[in-house]
Amino acid sequence: MRKKIVAGNWKMNTLLKDGMELAGAVEKLAQDKESDAIVIIAPPYTHLSKVRELISSVKLSAQDCASEDSGAYTGDVSPAMLVSAGVEYVILGHSERRSYYKEGNELLNRKLKLALSQGLKPIYCCGEVLEERESGKLYDVIREQLVAGLKALSMEQIGKVVIAYEPVWAIGTGVVATPGQAQEMHRFIRDIVAEIFDARVAEDMTILYGGSCKPSNAKELFANPDVDGGLIGGAALKAEDFLAIVNSF
Ligand code: PGA
């Protein structure tokens, strides 16, 4: 059964006190939500264990994790540490990690496998930059991100992965993909997943759209048969806007 999900990626925003307020407000509104979508928030690392104590109907995600289990990796946070803080999901391969920190598909594949082995559910992001779309390379780029990023996952593991399609040109820009563009790419992604794994895994896969999704455009994006929810940046920093997106289903 395909799950609907709306996840809020807070990125590097909110100090601890503000983050706790935001999490509390999201939890309160989520308790009366009008849709059956799973609601996830991804605050910064520093907030995770405190936020955990404030939420029950909302699920907790990290924004990244290490590619190694433990040891001398200054600054890194392992999947096992996240699990020990009550985290259930982890965003991997966000375009900001890919571009600013040069995270490539092979590294992300290691992170995915380690996260899965520790019981985290990855939200694996893929997406093309504007130049790749305009030159028609977008399909090759997305295919490679999926083939290399999801390489050698078992059937059981792939069943725990959520994919987020985030066209880079739509992230934080106010320019949103048209419902047609989103549907076309989500269908393409589902077809690739069917090719790599099988048709049943592909049909059950939750594929989120991300990039300037807000209350005013969520409904028409989510109305597409292959769009199963959203990964929300800016609009996730206001509890009312975020829940309005959740309630768009
Ligand atoms: P945005 O970000 O909603 O602010 O465009 C989405 C994301 O980067 O996940």
Side-chain angles (χ1 to χ4, degrees):
M1 254 290 282
R2 207 189 288 175
K3 294 189 185 93
K4 295 174 187 169
I5 294 178
V6 177
N9 174 12
W10 294 8
K11 310 192 180 184
M12 197 170 70
N13 292 298
T14 73
L15 300 182
L16 181 57
K17 185 169 165 289
D18 311 318
M20 289 174 69
E21 270 170 32
L22 177 57
V26 170
E27 168 64 28
K28 192 159 177 279
L29 292 174
Q31 284 180 1
D32 299 320
K33 69 181 158 71
E34 291 149 21
S35 91
D36 55 1
I38 296 170
V39 182
I40 302 174
I41 52 175
Y45 286 136
T46 43
H47 303 14
L48 291 170
S49 53
K50 288 269 191 193
V51 164
R52 183 74 203 89
E53 292 166 13
L54 299 173
I55 56 176
S56 52
S57 42
V58 174
K59 314 253 181 218
L60 193 58
S61 176
Q63 298 174 18
D64 185 31
C65 70
S67 57
E68 305 296 331
D69 237 342
S70 67
Y73 299 96
T74 302
D76 262 351
V77 176
S78 74
M81 290 171 185
L82 295 174
V83 171
S84 76
V87 174
E88 206 177 316
Y89 291 83
V90 60
I91 298 171
L92 290 174
H94 190 280
S95 66
E96 286 147 20
R97 304 283 330 162
R98 289 180 188 266
S99 76
Y100 303 148
Y101 306 101
K102 307 287 172 253
E103 295 193 2
N105 295 325
E106 276 170 36
L107 172 76
L108 293 168
N109 182 244
R110 286 217 303 280
K111 290 190 178 192
L112 268 156
K113 286 182 184 150
L114 186 64
L116 284 161
S117 75
Q118 296 297 330
L120 287 173
K121 296 175 204 146
I123 301 172
Y124 179 61
C125 304
C126 59
E128 80 286 358
V129 301
L130 189 59
E131 191 259 318
E132 290 161 345
R133 175 165 282 265
E134 286 176 341
S135 64
K137 283 195 214 126
L138 74 166
Y139 301 103
D140 292 342
V141 170
I142 303 289
R143 176 185 290 276
E144 183 58 20
Q145 288 172 345
L146 296 173
V147 170
L150 303 176
K151 192 172 172 186
L153 296 193
S154 69
M155 284 294 182
E156 200 202 329
Q157 287 176 323
I158 189 66
K160 305 214 161 74
V161 175
V162 172
I163 292 179
Y165 169 58
E166 298 208 302
V168 182
W169 45 271
I171 297 178
T173 57
V175 181
V176 64
T178 64
Q181 285 172 325
Q183 169 57 26
E184 192 220 3
M185 194 46 89
H186 281 229
R187 187 66 241 175
F188 177 74
I189 290 168
R190 207 177 294 288
D191 289 344
I192 303 269
V193 172
E195 221 178 275
I196 312 175
F197 298 94
D198 69 24
R200 200 186 51 79
V201 165
E203 276 315 303
D204 288 349
M205 170 78 63
T206 298
I207 307 179
L208 309 180
Y209 168 81
S212 299
C213 184
K214 28 183 199 276
S216 58
N217 59 30
K219 214 181 181 80
E220 51 177 10
L221 286 163
F222 297 168
N224 288 293
D226 288 296
V227 179
D228 310 309
L231 180 55
I232 319 299
L237 296 173
K238 284 206 187 104
E240 292 76 19
D241 287 357
F242 185 53
L243 262 294
I245 295 173
V246 173
N247 290 331
S248 300
F249 271 117

